[in-house]
């Protein structure tokens, strides 16, 4: 008899991945208890200034559709068809993400999405959610979780069960395992931080094109803005922590005003509370988490950001976590025991999460430095031409990541490197040599299998 179907499972962290995973496991007949350190997000206002807007793409949508919740999520989203690139001169241009109507990504607010997923989980009678419950330690030998009620301060032990930790980049479960020597963790911090600002609606209308992700690339740093359903935008400044062009130099209102007037003059009119918000909102850190292993036998599994947090520059952190949930759900069909399930999940996902971590770092350089470069624009146009001519062999790396969930992250990284070399060779006068392009593509890029 299978010991997974109908089993009791503890999920530590009722954020996006934890809530989605609860839905999928409940549909499999598991009795799920979600523990979340924060209060019920359905009963309070979300924290401002700490959450980078989320970009929902095909991988995340595929998992939400599997869970049967995408139709509830759809009203929360705004389609973004490309990057609106703002130059210092004030001119702007739209760089499309793809060339097909469906090749868009969707801006979605974290708090609203989390509420929908928690409500979806609680529609299953097998799901219980306990808020204000902070995990402060894990004892795998004794098979216990140590929990603290954040309202009363009372502590208690729970049976580990098995447990799945989805408690985010700052995972308390991962930290406890590392302290016990059961997991090794390497945190690769960027020397750039971020700060969130708000572009309010103007007379109830969006101040910017609401169907684009806006970027003010400045070579080494950037400002971005993503649309919200209330006609506002969430803007985020990504900037070095130190130095003359860094957060450390923006130590008073005058310095902040001067910096924005010099670097983002066309954005200043849309930020009426710039200096106030800059002073009030926290300065967030950005980094990549490398942990190994992700599981302790069949007792505990790290999933999502708790296992492999990445920087936000490819818009794939949430999508990768949702894909984790989908893959774990699919693997349930092949396993009778938690231990073999967790082990195969880690084997299947680790190469892909390492690949997207690398691509996310690379995309930061592209967004802040190269999107205005003439050669970048030229090669992007050439890549789209080759995709139209050879759709079964050549798909730009960005499109593979964002629009093709059937192509793994690892394969997108590998194939993207081959394609980058091809574009280099075809750039310039020889780019018009259709015969040479076809020969090189057929030699180096085998057909993509569905």
């Amino acid at each position: 008899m299978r010991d997974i179907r109908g089993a009791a499972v503890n999920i530590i962290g009722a954020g996006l991945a934890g809530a989605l995973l609860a839905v999928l496991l409940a549909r499999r007949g598991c009795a799920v208890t979600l523990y979340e350190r924060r209060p019920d997000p359905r009963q309070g206002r979300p924290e401002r200034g700490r959450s980078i807007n989320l970009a929902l793409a095909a991988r995340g949508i595929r998992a939400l559709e599997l869970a049967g919740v995408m139709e509830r999520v759809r009203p929360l989203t705004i389609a973004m068809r490309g990057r609106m690139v703002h130059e210092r001169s004030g001119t702007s241009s739209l760089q499309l993400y793809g060339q097909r109507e469906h090749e868009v990504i969707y801006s979605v607010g974290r708090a609203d999405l989390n509420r929908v997923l928690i409500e979806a989980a609680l529609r299953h009678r097998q799901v219980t959610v306990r808020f204000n419950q902070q995990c402060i330690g894990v004892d795998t030998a004794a098979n216990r979780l140590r929990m603290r009620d954040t309202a009363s301060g009372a502590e208690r032990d729970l049976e580990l069960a098995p447990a799945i930790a989805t408690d985010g980049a700052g995972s308390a479960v991962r930290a406890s395992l590392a302290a016990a020597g059961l997991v090794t963790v390497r945190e690769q911090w960027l020397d750039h931080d971020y700060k969130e600002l708000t572009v309010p609606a103007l007379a109830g209308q969006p101040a910017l094109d609401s169907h684009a992700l806006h970027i003010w690339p400045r070579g080494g740093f950037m400002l971005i803005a993503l649309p919200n359903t209330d006609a506002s935008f969430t803007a985020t400044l990504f900037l070095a922590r130190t130095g003359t062009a860094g957060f450390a130099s923006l130590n008073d209102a005058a310095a902040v005003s001067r910096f924005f007037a010099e670097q983002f003059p066309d954005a200043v009119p849309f930020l009426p509370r710039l200096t106030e918000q800059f002073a009030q909102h926290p300065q967030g850190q950005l980094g990549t988490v490398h942990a190994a292993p992700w599981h302790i036998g069949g007792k505990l599994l790290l999933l999502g950001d708790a296992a492999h947090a990445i920087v936000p520059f490819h818009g794939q952190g949430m999508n990768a976590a949702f894909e984790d949930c989908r893959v774990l759900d699919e693997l349930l069909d092949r396993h009778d025991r938690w231990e073999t399930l967790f082990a195969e999940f880690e084997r299947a996902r680790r190469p892909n999460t390492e690949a997207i971590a690398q691509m996310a770092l690379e995309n930061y350089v592209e967004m802040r430095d190269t999107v205005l470069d003439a050669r970048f624009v030229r090669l992007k146009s050439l890549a789209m031409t080759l995709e139209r001519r050879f759709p079964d062999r050549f798909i730009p790396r960005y499109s593979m990541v964002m629009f093709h969930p059937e192509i793994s992250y690892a394969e997108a990284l590998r194939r993207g490197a081959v394609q980058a070399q091809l574009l280099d060779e075809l750039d310039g006068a020889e780019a018009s040599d259709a015969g040479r392009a076809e020969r090189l593509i057929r030699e180096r890029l085998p057909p993509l299998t569905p």
Side-chain angles (χ1 to χ4, degrees):
M1 180 177 178
R2 297 174 66 92
D3 70 351
I4 291 180
R5 293 189 183 279
V9 183
N10 288 324
I11 298 179
I12 311 304
L16 301 176
L20 177 62
L21 185 60
V23 174
L24 293 173
L25 290 177
R27 287 160 63 98
R28 294 280 188 167
C30 293
V32 180
T33 304
L34 273 164
Y35 294 93
E36 173 55 50
R37 64 176 176 80
R38 298 168 300 174
D40 188 337
R42 299 168 299 169
Q43 298 176 2
R45 299 184 64 181
E47 180 185 7
R48 298 294 296 174
R50 181 59 86 175
S51 173
I52 298 171
N53 260 48
L54 301 168
L56 179 63
R59 294 171 198 273
I61 291 170
R62 187 180 184 186
L64 293 172
E65 288 175 342
L66 175 66
V69 298
M70 186 59 205
E71 289 311 305
R72 297 190 188 103
V73 170
R74 203 174 300 282
L76 309 177
T77 67
I78 299 176
M80 299 183 294
R81 62 190 185 279
R83 298 167 175 165
M84 186 68 74
V85 180
H86 297 257
E87 300 187 42
R88 191 178 277 103
S89 65
T91 62
S92 60
S93 60
L94 181 66
Q95 296 180 0
L96 294 175
Y97 287 131
Q99 51 190 331
R100 298 174 180 85
E101 186 176 352
H102 71 278
E103 291 181 340
V104 299
I105 61 177
Y106 297 88
S107 177
V108 63
R110 182 188 301 272
D112 289 341
L113 179 56
N114 202 180
R115 281 194 291 270
V116 165
L117 291 176
I118 287 173
E119 289 167 357
L122 287 172
R123 288 189 177 92
H124 295 269
R125 59 182 179 80
Q126 307 100 306
V127 176
T128 302
V129 186
R130 303 193 185 281
F131 296 101
N132 302 303
Q133 300 296 310
Q134 181 180 11
C135 179
I136 58 175
V138 180
D139 186 340
T140 56
N143 204 41
R144 310 299 288 174
L145 286 168
R146 186 72 172 169
M147 307 297 295
R148 176 186 293 139
D149 187 298
T150 58
S152 68
E155 296 183 5
R156 60 176 177 147
D157 285 344
L158 301 174
E159 186 175 353
L160 195 56
I164 301 175
T166 56
D167 55 339
S171 171
V173 174
R174 187 185 68 233
S176 180
L177 295 175
L182 297 173
V183 170
T184 60
V185 179
R186 179 170 61 90
E187 296 176 335
Q188 180 185 357
W189 294 104
L190 283 187
D191 56 4
H192 286 213
D193 290 347
Y194 72 91
K195 190 173 288 262
E196 188 179 278
L197 306 164
T198 298
V199 175
L202 293 177
Q205 298 300 312
L208 302 163
D209 184 339
S210 61
H211 290 290
L213 186 155
H214 294 261
I215 307 178
W216 290 259
R218 294 299 179 259
F221 60 94
M222 68 179 181
L223 178 72
I224 69 170
L226 277 74
N228 298 311
T229 53
D230 64 359
S232 70
F233 285 75
T234 301
T236 309
L237 174 66
F238 298 95
L239 186 66
R241 192 174 304 118
T242 60
T244 55
F247 277 110
S249 67
L250 305 181
N251 49 19
D252 58 36
V256 172
S257 295
R258 186 166 55 251
F259 176 77
F260 272 76
E262 291 172 354
Q263 300 295 340
F264 314 114
D266 63 325
V268 171
F270 305 130
L271 296 165
R273 298 179 57 220
L274 169 61
T275 56
E276 178 186 351
Q277 290 185 346
F278 201 94
Q280 291 177 351
H281 290 180
Q283 184 173 318
Q285 287 187 289
L286 299 160
T288 306
V289 172
H290 304 273
W294 293 350
H295 72 287
I296 308 299
K299 297 180 178 181
L300 188 146
L301 174 71
L302 302 174
L303 183 143
D305 282 356
H308 50 74
I310 62 175
V311 296
F313 304 113
H314 215 310
Q316 284 294 295
M318 172 185 67
N319 291 284
F322 283 178
E323 191 170 65
D324 278 358
C325 296
R326 180 186 62 79
V327 170
L328 187 70
D329 178 78
E330 290 178 354
L331 290 175
L332 280 166
D333 289 328
R334 304 210 297 261
H335 292 275
D336 298 327
R337 298 168 54 237
W338 292 104
E339 184 171 3
T340 60
L341 171 66
F342 290 170
E344 185 174 351
F345 171 81
E346 181 169 353
R347 284 194 300 271
R349 290 300 288 160
R350 183 177 290 282
N352 292 302
T353 58
E354 290 174 350
I356 191 56
Q358 177 181 332
M359 290 188 285
L361 288 166
E362 293 172 358
N363 217 47
Y364 185 29
V365 177
E366 176 178 307
M367 291 175 72
R368 76 189 191 198
D369 292 346
T370 63
V371 290
L372 291 175
D373 181 76
R375 183 173 184 273
F376 170 84
V377 175
R378 187 173 67 246
L379 291 183
K380 182 176 175 64
S381 176
L382 175 57
M384 287 190 169
T385 298
L386 294 175
E387 182 183 22
R388 288 192 296 272
R389 290 184 57 202
F390 309 101
D392 62 332
R393 292 176 185 264
F394 193 106
I395 300 173
R397 190 178 87 172
Y398 185 89
S399 294
M400 284 191 282
V401 169
M402 304 303 283
F403 309 131
H404 290 270
E406 74 281 4
I407 301 174
S408 71
Y409 288 132
E411 178 63 7
L413 178 62
R414 186 200 66 78
R415 203 171 181 100
V418 176
Q419 293 178 169
Q421 180 62 39
L422 282 170
L423 291 173
D424 281 340
E425 294 179 30
L426 295 171
D427 188 24
E430 294 181 341
S432 60
D433 185 346
R436 181 167 182 262
E438 180 172 1
R439 177 175 58 79
L440 291 176
I441 287 172
R442 292 190 181 282
E443 284 177 357
R444 302 183 194 177
L445 290 172
L448 287 156
T449 55

